[in-house]
Amino acid sequence: MEHDITYYAKKRHTAKAYEPNKKISNGNMEKIKELLRYSASSTNSQPWHFLIASTDKGKSRIAKANEAMYPFNNPSILGASHVVVFCSRLTIEEDHLSKVLEQEEKDGRFDADPAFKEQMDAGRKFFINLHKHDYKDVQHWMDKQVYLNIGQFLLGIATLGIDATPMEGIDVKSIDEEFGLREKGYTSLVAVTLGYHHPENDYNATLPKSRLPYSEILTEV
């Protein structure tokens, strides 16, 4: 049975316990990777990197790095089928912008009008430099692009019948050190555990959703 997108928005929940022996299929993992890759970002800047732990060893490394500050999140990390760590770039310099531009050209975005390549490059740099030099919040701006990805990701995986737990409660410094992220130009932001919730231990699965009414959150003009 097919459902519209609002069905999944209302059905999904933050899983509190996983069935550790139930694993995500390779086919669904390929779709999950596509969700990560095809997210929107401001000016198509894509200032992100993703660390995917699919093995017990990989999940244990994340849990070990997380033990000192957020041990209460480790049962989800260890019990989940997979863990995705969402990372943001530390800087957004010419080498990255050139890669984005060349990929756009390779994918045919400038075929109709080659002059659009130069316009796209200039427009992207305008907004990045605005945040870098005038607003002086370019790191925060890049982080926001990663959060755009997370929002799409949570809804997307729900359509695959996969449960998730987004967690900002991760020891960013320790995880960065464990995986050498900062040396590679990234820093971790959020982890999302993925898998299939435990029907008996996941108390949140049976709780009703609670959201503020339209009268509080919506103005139509």
Side-chain angles (χ1 to χ4, degrees):
M1 179 180 178
E2 292 188 6
H3 300 284
D4 73 33
I5 198 69
T6 61
Y7 168 86
Y8 297 103
K10 289 183 276 191
K11 185 177 183 296
R12 63 152 301 278
H13 73 286
T14 297
K16 299 300 183 180
Y18 289 92
E19 289 198 70
N21 297 321
K22 194 171 181 180
K23 303 300 182 183
I24 298 170
S25 69
N26 290 336
N28 274 341
M29 280 309 302
E30 290 306 310
K31 294 176 183 178
I32 283 168
K33 292 174 184 178
E34 287 193 323
L35 284 172
L36 293 170
R37 187 181 180 205
Y38 284 96
S39 173
S41 60
S42 178
T43 68
N44 197 30
S45 54
Q46 307 170 63
W48 47 50
H49 189 79
F50 312 102
L51 175 68
I52 300 179
S54 57
T55 64
D56 289 341
K57 181 180 179 180
K59 289 181 287 184
S60 293
R61 289 178 67 188
I62 296 173
K64 181 187 71 173
N66 210 43
E67 183 64 32
M69 290 187 67
Y70 302 100
F72 50 83
N73 275 331
N74 281 351
S76 288
I77 291 171
L78 296 171
S81 172
H82 290 67
V83 181
V84 181
V85 179
F86 286 74
C87 307
S88 176
R89 293 185 64 86
L90 292 171
T91 61
I92 188 161
E93 307 300 344
E94 183 61 40
D95 62 335
H96 175 72
L97 300 180
S98 294
K99 288 178 183 177
V100 171
L101 191 68
E102 293 310 310
Q103 187 66 48
E104 289 171 332
E105 183 171 46
K106 181 180 178 181
D107 290 335
R109 289 185 61 82
F110 312 129
D111 289 355
D113 183 0
F116 187 48
K117 179 180 179 180
E118 184 177 340
Q119 295 168 9
M120 186 69 215
D121 186 42
R124 185 155 42 232
K125 288 177 179 176
F126 169 81
F127 282 104
I128 290 170
N129 286 331
L130 192 67
H131 286 280
K132 186 183 293 186
H133 302 302
D134 298 335
Y135 299 154
K136 303 188 187 303
D137 68 344
V138 71
Q139 181 68 62
H140 180 56
W141 179 83
M142 289 190 290
D143 293 351
K144 288 192 290 186
Q145 310 318 309
V146 179
Y147 275 86
L148 281 176
N149 195 311
I150 295 168
Q152 170 178 290
F153 185 73
L154 292 175
L155 184 57
I157 59 174
T159 69
L160 299 174
I162 295 169
D163 298 305
T165 308
M167 52 182 70
E168 289 184 306
I170 59 172
D171 190 338
V172 168
K173 183 177 180 181
S174 292
I175 290 174
D176 286 0
E177 290 174 353
E178 174 67 24
F179 294 97
L181 291 172
R182 296 185 188 182
E183 290 80 3
K184 298 172 184 176
Y186 306 101
T187 184
S188 54
L189 289 179
V190 176
V192 179
T193 55
L194 303 173
Y196 301 94
H197 80 100
H198 196 291
E200 297 173 3
N201 298 337
D202 182 11
Y203 66 87
N204 202 34
T206 58
L207 294 177
K209 272 209 180 298
S210 178
R211 297 293 189 270
L212 291 170
Y214 290 125
S215 60
E216 292 288 334
I217 68 165
L218 184 65
T219 299
E220 293 189 69
V221 296

